Amino acid sequence: MKKVKFNNDWNFSKVHSEKASFNVTLPHDAMIFEGHSADARSGAGGGYYCGGRYCYRKHFKIEGERSAKYLLRFDGIAGESHIYLNAKHIAQNFYAYNGFTVDITDCVVFGEENLIEVYIDNDRQPNSRWYAGSGIYRSVWLITGGEVRIGNVKISTPFVGEDVSEIELEISLENDKSEQHCIIVETEILDRNGKTICREITPFTLFEQGKETARQRLYPRNISLWSTDSPNLYDCRIRLTDGHGSTLDETEESFGFRTITADPVHGLRINGKETLLRGACIHHDNGVIGAAEYYDACERRIRILKEAGFNAVRISHHPCSEEMLSACDKLGMLVWDETFDIWQEHKTKYDFAMYFDEEWKNIVDGMVEKDFNHPCVFLYSIGNEIPEIVKPQGIRVSRMLTERIRMLD
């Protein structure tokens, strides 16, 4: 599916405020502009910044076909959010650090002006033990596909050898048509110079109005491994055709070849080499620009840590952004990604414990799906300083989370 940034030309305003609205380009942190005071309810953890209620609006047109599929992808919204398209409620989100996708196909008016509105309530403070920001602080994407399209792609490298290696692909395919469809799945693996190192072509039958998984195995020769010292990356380019050469959909994913093992004798080994972790914990805010997440800011932080001798970062205390993972892939930084700082027991008055039981599965699924193809990710954390871990219910939750992650990865 085609994915383009949807960050420009948003109008921002404070709800129930006499201040004028103004245009912003996402990502945008509203809290950093609120100012701070000694009596702010966010307290020391929130840097004494004030919360608030906000609205983001964007007018847009879609000139495409009604048979196509249109999705909006929100990479992260800080605050309880409700999303409306042309005055119809289409989604809600309660966790600041998970991305989520909304199907807007049935709500879009084609060829006319549409209005997307995102209402955010981040006034109930404290809701975090650190500065979390407010608003649409990560990117938004418009994703477009046809009636036959590619969904999620999972790339594994189950075997890495000196002369030949193995790539295993799971390609999610969707067919909205009322009849089965015979297609061709064409996959190329390219090095960073754009040279094709292997290719696979697979005929595949999609049943009517269904979702299927196409599986491929490719065997490239003489690959270069990804490591913290040599972060070699490859591109996986997938194209669907109708058998007559016409392209139905295409996508591209970045990945790397590496092995990870751990045992009591050799400790952690990356590509068979014993590896000592020299790590640091990092939060998602970017200092004076607040929580707004930009690739350049992520790349700068990781580059400085690499220059100082670090080879690993732990994300504190939430799933990190795609921008951060991409920077770590590129620069060779191992990532320990984390799900939660809270399960069912509160640490602050209005934190995520209010929603944990209903939302945990979506958060875990989203984190693993986001991280799966990134070679930098080597470890998952199911929680940070969880007080109920020593209680019977905490043991149940621990097993629930770990089993879900093992099932997915």
PDB file of all heavy atoms in Angstrom, residues 2 46 57 88 103 116 118 183 191 197 216 258 268 286 304 406:
ATOM      1  N   LYS A   2       0.392   2.288  -0.620  1.00  0.00           N
ATOM      2  CA  LYS A   2       1.126   3.549  -0.687  1.00  0.00           C
ATOM      3  C   LYS A   2       0.950   4.315   0.619  1.00  0.00           C
ATOM      4  O   LYS A   2      -0.160   4.485   1.109  1.00  0.00           O
ATOM      5  CB  LYS A   2       0.614   4.381  -1.867  1.00  0.00           C
ATOM      6  CG  LYS A   2       1.361   5.684  -2.075  1.00  0.00           C
ATOM      7  CD  LYS A   2       0.788   6.455  -3.260  1.00  0.00           C
ATOM      8  CE  LYS A   2       1.531   7.775  -3.450  1.00  0.00           C
ATOM      9  NZ  LYS A   2       0.956   8.547  -4.583  1.00  0.00           N
ATOM     10  N   GLY A  46       6.414  15.708  35.518  1.00  0.00           N
ATOM     11  CA  GLY A  46       6.011  16.338  34.264  1.00  0.00           C
ATOM     12  C   GLY A  46       6.697  17.661  34.012  1.00  0.00           C
ATOM     13  O   GLY A  46       6.260  18.440  33.158  1.00  0.00           O
ATOM     14  N   ARG A  57      -7.410  19.997  13.604  1.00  0.00           N
ATOM     15  CA  ARG A  57      -8.319  19.850  12.466  1.00  0.00           C
ATOM     16  C   ARG A  57      -7.529  19.921  11.160  1.00  0.00           C
ATOM     17  O   ARG A  57      -6.566  20.672  11.057  1.00  0.00           O
ATOM     18  CB  ARG A  57      -9.376  20.952  12.461  1.00  0.00           C
ATOM     19  CG  ARG A  57     -10.356  20.924  13.615  1.00  0.00           C
ATOM     20  CD  ARG A  57     -11.378  22.044  13.486  1.00  0.00           C
ATOM     21  NE  ARG A  57     -12.402  21.973  14.518  1.00  0.00           N
ATOM     22  CZ  ARG A  57     -12.309  22.564  15.707  1.00  0.00           C
ATOM     23  NH1 ARG A  57     -11.215  23.278  16.002  1.00  0.00           N
ATOM     24  NH2 ARG A  57     -13.289  22.464  16.580  1.00  0.00           N
ATOM     25  N   LYS A  88     -18.249  12.146  12.181  1.00  0.00           N
ATOM     26  CA  LYS A  88     -18.519  10.792  12.639  1.00  0.00           C
ATOM     27  C   LYS A  88     -17.343  10.293  13.467  1.00  0.00           C
ATOM     28  O   LYS A  88     -16.193  10.371  13.049  1.00  0.00           O
ATOM     29  CB  LYS A  88     -18.743   9.857  11.447  1.00  0.00           C
ATOM     30  CG  LYS A  88     -19.040   8.416  11.854  1.00  0.00           C
ATOM     31  CD  LYS A  88     -19.269   7.526  10.652  1.00  0.00           C
ATOM     32  CE  LYS A  88     -19.558   6.090  11.089  1.00  0.00           C
ATOM     33  NZ  LYS A  88     -19.762   5.189   9.918  1.00  0.00           N
ATOM     34  N   ASP A 103      -9.485   2.764   9.472  1.00  0.00           N
ATOM     35  CA  ASP A 103     -10.021   2.641   8.115  1.00  0.00           C
ATOM     36  C   ASP A 103     -11.045   3.759   7.901  1.00  0.00           C
ATOM     37  O   ASP A 103     -12.069   3.824   8.580  1.00  0.00           O
ATOM     38  CB  ASP A 103     -10.689   1.279   7.956  1.00  0.00           C
ATOM     39  CG  ASP A 103     -11.096   0.986   6.512  1.00  0.00           C
ATOM     40  OD1 ASP A 103     -11.208   1.935   5.711  1.00  0.00           O
ATOM     41  OD2 ASP A 103     -11.308  -0.189   6.188  1.00  0.00           O
ATOM     42  N   ILE A 116     -11.033  16.072   9.141  1.00  0.00           N
ATOM     43  CA  ILE A 116     -10.608  15.192  10.223  1.00  0.00           C
ATOM     44  C   ILE A 116     -10.378  16.042  11.467  1.00  0.00           C
ATOM     45  O   ILE A 116      -9.766  17.117  11.394  1.00  0.00           O
ATOM     46  CB  ILE A 116      -9.334  14.402   9.839  1.00  0.00           C
ATOM     47  CG1 ILE A 116      -8.947  13.420  10.945  1.00  0.00           C
ATOM     48  CG2 ILE A 116      -8.172  15.312   9.524  1.00  0.00           C
ATOM     49  CD1 ILE A 116      -9.672  12.124  10.875  1.00  0.00           C
ATOM     50  N   VAL A 118      -9.280  15.781  15.665  1.00  0.00           N
ATOM     51  CA  VAL A 118      -8.723  14.971  16.749  1.00  0.00           C
ATOM     52  C   VAL A 118      -8.834  15.771  18.039  1.00  0.00           C
ATOM     53  O   VAL A 118      -8.179  16.810  18.198  1.00  0.00           O
ATOM     54  CB  VAL A 118      -7.253  14.592  16.476  1.00  0.00           C
ATOM     55  CG1 VAL A 118      -6.722  13.713  17.610  1.00  0.00           C
ATOM     56  CG2 VAL A 118      -7.111  13.893  15.129  1.00  0.00           C
ATOM     57  N   ILE A 183      -2.963 -14.039  -8.498  1.00  0.00           N
ATOM     58  CA  ILE A 183      -1.970 -12.971  -8.569  1.00  0.00           C
ATOM     59  C   ILE A 183      -0.572 -13.578  -8.590  1.00  0.00           C
ATOM     60  O   ILE A 183      -0.386 -14.787  -8.388  1.00  0.00           O
ATOM     61  CB  ILE A 183      -2.091 -12.001  -7.376  1.00  0.00           C
ATOM     62  CG1 ILE A 183      -1.856 -12.756  -6.055  1.00  0.00           C
ATOM     63  CG2 ILE A 183      -3.443 -11.292  -7.385  1.00  0.00           C
ATOM     64  CD1 ILE A 183      -1.745 -11.866  -4.848  1.00  0.00           C
ATOM     65  N   ASP A 191      20.695  -4.853  -1.884  1.00  0.00           N
ATOM     66  CA  ASP A 191      21.636  -4.266  -0.944  1.00  0.00           C
ATOM     67  C   ASP A 191      21.500  -2.749  -0.968  1.00  0.00           C
ATOM     68  O   ASP A 191      20.703  -2.192  -1.729  1.00  0.00           O
ATOM     69  CB  ASP A 191      23.072  -4.727  -1.229  1.00  0.00           C
ATOM     70  CG  ASP A 191      23.594  -4.268  -2.596  1.00  0.00           C
ATOM     71  OD1 ASP A 191      23.056  -3.296  -3.162  1.00  0.00           O
ATOM     72  OD2 ASP A 191      24.560  -4.887  -3.096  1.00  0.00           O
ATOM     73  N   ILE A 197      20.142  -8.978  -4.998  1.00  0.00           N
ATOM     74  CA  ILE A 197      20.975 -10.123  -4.639  1.00  0.00           C
ATOM     75  C   ILE A 197      20.214 -11.450  -4.720  1.00  0.00           C
ATOM     76  O   ILE A 197      20.830 -12.512  -4.796  1.00  0.00           O
ATOM     77  CB  ILE A 197      21.588  -9.949  -3.240  1.00  0.00           C
ATOM     78  CG1 ILE A 197      20.501  -9.893  -2.159  1.00  0.00           C
ATOM     79  CG2 ILE A 197      22.462  -8.704  -3.181  1.00  0.00           C
ATOM     80  CD1 ILE A 197      21.062  -9.972  -0.748  1.00  0.00           C
ATOM     81  N   GLN A 216       7.118 -17.027   1.517  1.00  0.00           N
ATOM     82  CA  GLN A 216       8.224 -17.228   0.590  1.00  0.00           C
ATOM     83  C   GLN A 216       9.511 -17.488   1.364  1.00  0.00           C
ATOM     84  O   GLN A 216       9.685 -17.020   2.485  1.00  0.00           O
ATOM     85  CB  GLN A 216       8.423 -15.992  -0.307  1.00  0.00           C
ATOM     86  CG  GLN A 216       7.311 -15.743  -1.305  1.00  0.00           C
ATOM     87  CD  GLN A 216       7.599 -14.530  -2.162  1.00  0.00           C
ATOM     88  OE1 GLN A 216       8.154 -13.533  -1.692  1.00  0.00           O
ATOM     89  NE2 GLN A 216       7.233 -14.598  -3.435  1.00  0.00           N
ATOM     90  N   ARG A 258      21.121 -10.998  11.178  1.00  0.00           N
ATOM     91  CA  ARG A 258      21.911 -11.154  12.391  1.00  0.00           C
ATOM     92  C   ARG A 258      21.315 -12.281  13.221  1.00  0.00           C
ATOM     93  O   ARG A 258      20.146 -12.612  13.113  1.00  0.00           O
ATOM     94  CB  ARG A 258      21.984  -9.852  13.191  1.00  0.00           C
ATOM     95  CG  ARG A 258      20.624  -9.267  13.581  1.00  0.00           C
ATOM     96  CD  ARG A 258      20.321  -9.558  15.005  1.00  0.00           C
ATOM     97  NE  ARG A 258      19.080  -8.932  15.431  1.00  0.00           N
ATOM     98  CZ  ARG A 258      17.900  -9.522  15.398  1.00  0.00           C
ATOM     99  NH1 ARG A 258      17.787 -10.749  14.904  1.00  0.00           N
ATOM    100  NH2 ARG A 258      16.809  -8.911  15.844  1.00  0.00           N
ATOM    101  N   LEU A 268      25.516 -13.118  26.195  1.00  0.00           N
ATOM    102  CA  LEU A 268      24.868 -12.667  24.958  1.00  0.00           C
ATOM    103  C   LEU A 268      25.859 -12.727  23.810  1.00  0.00           C
ATOM    104  O   LEU A 268      26.995 -12.253  23.913  1.00  0.00           O
ATOM    105  CB  LEU A 268      24.363 -11.225  25.132  1.00  0.00           C
ATOM    106  CG  LEU A 268      23.757 -10.576  23.886  1.00  0.00           C
ATOM    107  CD1 LEU A 268      22.429 -11.235  23.521  1.00  0.00           C
ATOM    108  CD2 LEU A 268      23.568  -9.073  24.097  1.00  0.00           C
ATOM    109  N   ASN A 286      12.587  15.191  23.558  1.00  0.00           N
ATOM    110  CA  ASN A 286      13.780  15.691  22.876  1.00  0.00           C
ATOM    111  C   ASN A 286      14.208  17.050  23.414  1.00  0.00           C
ATOM    112  O   ASN A 286      14.479  17.985  22.658  1.00  0.00           O
ATOM    113  CB  ASN A 286      13.528  15.762  21.366  1.00  0.00           C
ATOM    114  CG  ASN A 286      13.503  14.385  20.734  1.00  0.00           C
ATOM    115  OD1 ASN A 286      14.453  13.622  20.831  1.00  0.00           O
ATOM    116  ND2 ASN A 286      12.390  14.049  20.090  1.00  0.00           N
ATOM    117  N   ILE A 304      25.306  10.556  19.206  1.00  0.00           N
ATOM    118  CA  ILE A 304      26.093  11.027  20.350  1.00  0.00           C
ATOM    119  C   ILE A 304      26.402   9.869  21.304  1.00  0.00           C
ATOM    120  O   ILE A 304      27.523   9.735  21.814  1.00  0.00           O
ATOM    121  CB  ILE A 304      25.357  12.167  21.080  1.00  0.00           C
ATOM    122  CG1 ILE A 304      25.339  13.421  20.194  1.00  0.00           C
ATOM    123  CG2 ILE A 304      26.015  12.479  22.422  1.00  0.00           C
ATOM    124  CD1 ILE A 304      24.454  14.521  20.733  1.00  0.00           C
ATOM    125  N   ARG A 406       5.611 -14.181  23.084  1.00  0.00           N
ATOM    126  CA  ARG A 406       6.198 -15.391  22.495  1.00  0.00           C
ATOM    127  C   ARG A 406       5.363 -15.880  21.315  1.00  0.00           C
ATOM    128  O   ARG A 406       5.907 -16.411  20.339  1.00  0.00           O
ATOM    129  CB  ARG A 406       6.307 -16.477  23.558  1.00  0.00           C
ATOM    130  CG  ARG A 406       7.368 -16.180  24.621  1.00  0.00           C
ATOM    131  CD  ARG A 406       7.530 -17.342  25.586  1.00  0.00           C
ATOM    132  NE  ARG A 406       8.565 -17.050  26.575  1.00  0.00           N
ATOM    133  CZ  ARG A 406       8.344 -16.905  27.875  1.00  0.00           C
ATOM    134  NH1 ARG A 406       7.100 -17.014  28.348  1.00  0.00           N
ATOM    135  NH2 ARG A 406       9.327 -16.634  28.702  1.00  0.00           N
TER     136      ARG A 406
END
